[in-house]
Structure formats: structure tokens, C-alpha cells
Amino acid sequence: MNGATRVLLVDDQELVRAGVRALLERDGDIEVVAEARDGRGALVEIDRFRPEVVLLDLQMPVMDGLGVLRELERRRVDTSGRRHVDTRVVVLTTFGEDDNVFSALRLGAAGFLLKDAGPRELREAVRTVAAGEGLLSPGVTRRVIERLAGTGPPPGAGERLDGLTPREREVLGLVGRGLTNQEIGAELHLSPATARTHVGRLLAKLGVRDRVGLVVLAYETGLVRAGGNR
């Protein structure tokens, strides 16, 4: 499958991996290049195949999904560049794993997907993340982050926003509430293209890779509070 998005499946259940593989490869533009049943195996396959996207279970033997994300983040910031990894991770989860999902987002996961997602949603998730976008399921993502960030930001957290303009703070707050570029534009009387430009500047200024990271940061700094109120 020349030009197909390269995917690594990581789940300790063989039947789950087989089912996900069949669904992903149906349209021909996604190729599962490898599978792994635990975190250590996942890191080996990432080094071997350099997949664009990893679908990662969190609950696994030997090394869990959070351990994989910690190692990938360590490699990403390694200034030597010898083990640089630009693979993007989508966490496979259930509603009962909110705490772990939030930790995964903080560790750089590009988003998450519920294990009961439909075939089309699964394929679109991989395509979205491979294109460099964060995978936000507005209702579920915001529910996870609001519940876990509702106690308020730690002291000094807001200092990360000191270099932002007032307009950039507004945009970040709206991203944190789950608004799209079109919705942000309507809220602030901007074109969607201008809203997209502001989001791009936020990513660069804050050192965040995608919108998921901006949502997490908006809550962690207290710019958005539990319940969606600023």
C-alpha cells in the first residue's frame, strides 16, 4: 500500500488487534505495519518501523501505555536527536479510565478513542492524527479534563501564558472550551483562516504540538475552569 498511513497496533488482546487491523485496512489508505502486546514491544516496533500513528492501549503487561508515552516524550526532547521520534499516539480507552486518559494527554498523546468506536470513526481518527491534528471528541475530552482539572491550577501555572497577547488568550480559552476554528471566528468576529493563524501561533509560542495540548494547557493554567467558565 504505497503512500498509506503507517500504523502500529498495541494491545495485549490478540482478538482486539485482529479486529482493529481488519477495520483500518479496509479502504487501502492505512497499513498496519506491526503489532505489539505490551509497552516494551511497542517501543521496539516504533524504532523498527517508524509508524506515523500508534494506537495504544493503556492497560498492558510489562510496560503500560503511560510508560510508552513517557519514553516517547523523553526521546522527543532529547537534544542529541539520536533517538528522535515523531510518531503520534492515539490512546484506546474506555469510559472507566478517565485518570489514565488525562495523564496520557499530559504526556503528549494526540488524543484518544473509545474502544467501542465505529469503523468509520476509527479510520478517520487515524487520518486526522496522521495529518497533524489533535483528536478531540469534545464531549468526552472536556468531561475528562474538567473532572480532573476542577480543583484549580497549581501556584504559578498561569505564568506560562505571560507571553500571550490578549487576543491569543481569548483564542486559547475558546480552544479549551472545545470550539473549532469556525466557531472561534464567529465568537470573535474573525474569519476561520484568521482563527487558524492564531491557533498556529499559540502552538508555536507555547511549545504544544496540537489542539489537545492547548486544551490541557488551558485547564492547567486556570484560563478555563471546570464547567467551561473562564
Side-chain angles (χ1 to χ4, degrees), residues 111-131:
F112 66 88
L113 193 66
L114 296 176
K115 286 188 175 181
D116 61 356
R120 180 177 297 179
E121 185 179 1
L122 176 65
R123 290 189 291 271
E124 284 304 310
V126 169
R127 293 169 183 141
T128 297
V129 170

Side-chain angles (χ1 to χ4, degrees), residues 58-59 66 91-106 112-114 139-149 216:
L58 290 179
Q59 304 294 332
L66 295 181
V91 167
L92 296 173
T93 186
T94 67
F95 276 110
E97 296 177 338
D98 286 358
D99 291 2
N100 286 334
V101 167
F102 185 69
S103 297
L105 295 178
R106 294 184 67 180
F112 66 88
L113 193 66
L114 296 176
V140 181
T141 300
R142 200 179 333 164
R143 181 180 68 83
V144 170
I145 294 175
E146 285 186 0
R147 186 174 72 79
L148 294 165
V216 173

Side-chain angles (χ1 to χ4, degrees), residues 177-204:
R177 287 165 46 195
L179 273 66
T180 65
N181 289 337
Q182 185 171 353
E183 291 167 338
I184 290 171
E187 181 82 11
L188 299 179
H189 306 291
L190 305 171
S191 70
T194 300
R196 183 167 57 250
T197 297
H198 282 300
V199 171
R201 288 174 180 165
L202 286 170
L203 294 172

Side-chain angles (χ1 to χ4, degrees), residues 24-215:
L24 286 176
E25 294 187 335
R26 194 187 73 174
D27 292 345
D29 63 334
I30 298 172
E31 178 184 6
V32 177
V33 295
E35 299 178 13
R37 66 175 302 275
D38 59 54
R40 287 184 186 173
L43 293 172
V44 169
E45 300 301 343
I46 289 170
D47 286 339
R48 181 182 179 189
F49 289 99
R50 301 292 181 179
E52 296 162 78
V53 178
V54 175
L55 292 181
L56 180 69
D57 189 18
L58 290 179
Q59 304 294 332
M60 296 181 295
V62 185
M63 176 188 287
D64 64 13
L66 295 181
V68 173
L69 285 163
R70 290 188 188 96
E71 174 61 16
L72 293 179
E73 181 64 12
R74 186 188 69 78
R75 296 180 186 186
R76 188 179 72 85
V77 300
D78 182 2
T79 55
S80 71
R82 289 174 296 180
R83 302 188 70 187
H84 177 73
V85 173
D86 199 29
T87 294
R88 311 196 78 219
V89 176
V90 175
V91 167
L92 296 173
T93 186
T94 67
F95 276 110
E97 296 177 338
D98 286 358
D99 291 2
N100 286 334
V101 167
F102 185 69
S103 297
L105 295 178
R106 294 184 67 180
L107 287 168
F112 66 88
L113 193 66
L114 296 176
K115 286 188 175 181
D116 61 356
R120 180 177 297 179
E121 185 179 1
L122 176 65
R123 290 189 291 271
E124 284 304 310
V126 169
R127 293 169 183 141
T128 297
V129 170
E133 298 293 329
L135 182 64
L136 285 168
S137 174
V140 181
T141 300
R142 200 179 333 164
R143 181 180 68 83
V144 170
I145 294 175
E146 285 186 0
R147 186 174 72 79
L148 294 165
T151 55
E159 294 176 4
R160 289 195 63 181
L161 308 183
D162 286 349
L164 301 185
T165 66
R167 177 48 58 93
E168 287 168 344
R169 283 176 175 262
E170 284 184 302
V171 172
L172 179 58
L174 295 175
V175 171
R177 287 165 46 195
L179 273 66
T180 65
N181 289 337
Q182 185 171 353
E183 291 167 338
I184 290 171
E187 181 82 11
L188 299 179
H189 306 291
L190 305 171
S191 70
T194 300
R196 183 167 57 250
T197 297
H198 282 300
V199 171
R201 288 174 180 165
L202 286 170
L203 294 172
K205 280 190 174 184
L206 297 171
V208 176
R209 282 178 285 181
D210 52 43
R211 294 178 84 96
V212 173
L214 291 178
V215 172

